[in-house]
Structures are given as C-alpha cells and as structure tokens.
Amino acid sequence: MANVRCLQKVLRLQKFVLPINVQACRLSSNVASSNNHSNSTLKRAQVKKWSTGAATLTRNYTKDSDKLEDFRAREEQRERERDAADQKTQTEANAKGTAGAGGLGADAGEYGEQRQQSAEQSEKNAKVDDIRRKILDAAMEHVPQHGWSKQAIVLGAESCGYPGVVHGMFPEGGFALVSHFNGQCNAKLVEYLQHKTDNGQKEVADPLGFLVQAVRQRFEMIVPYKKQWPQAMALIAQPQHASTALAQVLTLVDDICYYSGDRSVDFGWYTRRVGLATIMKMTELYLLQDTSPRHVQTWEFLKNRMDEAVQLQMTLAQTDGVTQKVQRSFNSAFITARNILGLGYNRD
C-alpha cells in the first residue's frame, strides 16, 4: 500500500510542476509587458542575478563555501543522517552474522560460503551490466532506422556477437535504450561543466548565461534523434518508467544549478530547480516543432523563458505572502519526489 501511495505522489508531481510554472511564466510576461519602459533598465541588472532568495537576488560566493565538501551542508545533513543510519544497521547485521558464525563451527563454514557466493554473484552482475552497456551502445546506431525499440536492441546485440535472443536481458524494452541514452548525455554534460568550473570551485561570471548554455548543450545531443524523439517521450511518460525518468531529470537539473554557482541554502534552492526542470520540458517540446535553421528559434525561446523566470522571481518577491506559498509548494513537491526516489546529492 505504501508503494502505491509513493507512485501516486510521483505521478501527481509530474502533473503539478508544469501547470504552475506555465501560469507563473504567463504572469511574468504580462507584468513585463505592462511595465516595459520602466523595467528595461531593471531587466539588464536582473540578467546578471540568478537570485538566491526572495529578498536578495544576488548570488553569494563566499570563500568558505567554495569547497565542494563544505557546500550545501544544511541540505545534505538529512542525507548524511540517513546514510549513517543505514550504515549502522548494516554494520550491526554484519556483526551479528559474524558473531553467530563464530559461535558455531558448522554455521561459520556456511556463513563463509554464503559470503563467497555473494561475492561471485556481485561479479556476475557486474559482467552482465557490462554486456548490457555494450549492446545498448551498439543499438544506438540503429535508432535512426528502427527507433527506440526492441528491434534496435536485437541488432545491437548481433553486431556485438551476441545472439538476438539476449534482448530478454532488457525487460523494459525500448525504454532501456532511452534511459541509457539520457544517462550518457547527462554524464557528458556534467563532465563538461566540471571541466569548465574546475569541479564547481570556479566562480561563474554570468550564472544565467551559464544555465542557458548548459541546457542548450544538453538538447543539442537530442537533435540527431529528433525524428525519433516523440517515441522516446512516449516511453518516458509510461507510469512504470516514472521513477527512473524522474530521477534522471531531478539529478540533471541539480547538477546544472550546482555548477552554475547556485550555493544557496534557502527555500529558493528547490524553487529554482523545479523552475529549471519546467523550462527544460517546455524547450524540449518546442524543439520538436522547430523548423528554423540550426534551431535558432528554440534557443531564443529558451533564453526568453530564462529571462521571464528572473522577472517572475522579482514580481513574487514584492508580495511576500504569495512568494512563501509558491515556494512551499515547489519545495514540498521536489522534496517528496527526491525522498521517494532515495536521491542524495553527494558527488564523487
């Protein structure tokens, strides 16, 4: 029953995020239109300030917080406590098993055999995962012709020298290919952002521009598969794939915000990530319909939505009551999804 309620929360979250942000962006657009002349100077100043809270919009870069291990201590406290509790439970279980094995000679031998079997199983699983990655990498070459399908996986397996029947290793079907592609693209983007910011320790001069460029770079990875991407989106939208897809999105937006220099510890920490996730989804849909050369209209659309997000936060900041209500809604949605998925933010 608890699992059913968790899944319902995830599905409600997906329906919740987009309507609120779309309405918010429309509100921002109306406000900006009615005050175009008076806000023109203010807007130029706001573009340089991807705000870190309702009252103060300028990002803080403090020397003490520049170190990766010291970053976002308050946000990670809950994750650390949870990890410590899990580790303590595992240690106690291991100690109990060891004590039981030491007390009985026969049981000790059985315990050692179980540990050996467990190690062998782990090694076997690692080999299977490696085979899966090789097959999916090869299957990507067949996506333009066969789409995100089981047939593409079969052809990928055969090109690696495996029989086509190994597609049984992928019970998720075509979604396994989509998830693999998204994971690879996210990893490539994070690697680039790490290099550009010296692993998050280098100050970003233009955080908003950094965000726009990062999102654009991520979506340019989709362009070669643009014709097949509606099929991928349909697979992502299926309820049984919600947890994996949501985890990939939340982790990606957190990485982008982190390397842009967002080191705040206020309520806006969650608000900005939910807002960025919504802008990314809007841009993704726009990209599929864009026929302009090199998708210049999509990148202009992305920049405009980012500008509106800055103006929206300024508008909400002028009404504290509304700001707190919106922030609490975003925070609750983001935290609920994160906790359901068991996501942490410790980076290796």
Side-chain angles (χ1 to χ4, degrees), residues 192-250:
Y192 168 78
L193 298 180
Q194 287 176 336
H195 175 74
K196 190 172 183 178
T197 63
D198 191 17
N199 202 25
Q201 298 186 30
K202 181 179 178 181
E203 179 177 335
V204 176
D206 180 12
L208 185 56
F210 183 95
L211 288 169
V212 172
Q213 181 59 36
V215 174
R216 173 175 176 172
Q217 185 169 336
R218 176 61 180 83
F219 281 123
E220 284 179 339
M221 299 177 187
I222 297 177
V223 172
Y225 307 97
K226 180 179 176 180
K227 292 183 179 179
Q228 296 79 24
W229 198 245
Q231 180 191 9
M233 295 179 66
L235 291 170
I236 291 173
Q238 293 181 7
Q240 64 268 31
H241 304 146
S243 60
T244 300
L246 186 57
Q248 289 181 324
V249 171
L250 295 184

Side-chain angles (χ1 to χ4, degrees), residues 63-313:
K63 296 300 180 183
D64 292 339
S65 64
D66 282 345
K67 295 182 180 179
L68 179 62
E69 62 270 20
D70 296 330
F71 167 67
R72 210 186 303 141
R74 285 195 288 172
E75 275 64 29
E76 295 182 346
Q77 183 61 34
R78 182 176 300 176
E79 280 77 10
R80 288 198 298 269
E81 292 176 353
R82 183 189 61 201
D83 293 342
D86 292 343
Q87 184 176 2
K88 181 179 178 181
T89 301
Q90 184 64 37
T91 301
E92 291 176 351
N94 292 340
K96 183 178 180 181
T98 302
L104 298 173
D107 290 344
E110 182 179 353
Y111 177 74
E113 183 179 351
Q114 290 176 352
R115 291 188 61 182
Q116 183 178 358
Q117 291 176 353
S118 177
E120 292 175 352
Q121 184 63 38
S122 298
E123 183 178 355
K124 180 180 178 181
N125 291 339
K127 291 181 179 179
V128 170
D129 290 340
D130 186 57
I131 293 174
R132 282 174 55 95
R133 282 192 295 270
K134 289 180 180 178
I135 292 175
L136 292 174
D137 285 340
M140 289 301 303
E141 298 180 4
H142 302 281
V143 170
Q145 183 177 358
H146 298 281
W148 309 90
S149 64
K150 185 180 294 185
Q151 180 61 26
I153 297 177
V154 169
L155 294 174
E158 292 176 348
S159 65
C160 291
Y162 298 105
V165 293
V166 300
H167 67 75
M169 296 172 61
F170 306 92
E172 318 95 313
F175 178 74
L177 199 52
V178 177
S179 178
H180 176 72
F181 172 73
N182 279 335
Q184 281 192 326
C185 291
N186 293 352
K188 289 179 181 178
L189 179 61
V190 170
E191 183 178 358
Y192 168 78
L193 298 180
Q194 287 176 336
H195 175 74
K196 190 172 183 178
T197 63
D198 191 17
N199 202 25
Q201 298 186 30
K202 181 179 178 181
E203 179 177 335
V204 176
D206 180 12
L208 185 56
F210 183 95
L211 288 169
V212 172
Q213 181 59 36
V215 174
R216 173 175 176 172
Q217 185 169 336
R218 176 61 180 83
F219 281 123
E220 284 179 339
M221 299 177 187
I222 297 177
V223 172
Y225 307 97
K226 180 179 176 180
K227 292 183 179 179
Q228 296 79 24
W229 198 245
Q231 180 191 9
M233 295 179 66
L235 291 170
I236 291 173
Q238 293 181 7
Q240 64 268 31
H241 304 146
S243 60
T244 300
L246 186 57
Q248 289 181 324
V249 171
L250 295 184
T251 303
L252 176 62
V253 297
D254 178 63
D255 283 331
I256 293 176
C257 288
Y258 169 76
Y259 290 109
S260 73
D262 185 356
R263 306 183 180 195
S264 60
V265 292
D266 57 7
F267 285 136
W269 189 93
Y270 300 102
T271 307
R272 283 183 291 278
R273 280 153 178 75
V274 174
L276 178 59
T278 303
I279 291 175
M280 289 183 64
K281 179 57 64 175
M282 295 167 64
T283 304
E284 181 181 24
L285 295 172
Y286 193 96
L287 173 65
L288 296 181
Q289 306 175 56
D290 187 8
T291 58
S292 62
R294 298 183 179 181
H295 303 95
V296 293
Q297 292 183 1
T298 296
W299 314 136
E300 184 65 22
F301 174 86
L302 170 62
K303 184 179 182 302
N304 290 339
R305 299 294 81 75
M306 288 292 194
D307 288 340
E308 289 174 354
V310 175
Q311 292 192 20
L312 172 63
Q313 196 149 13

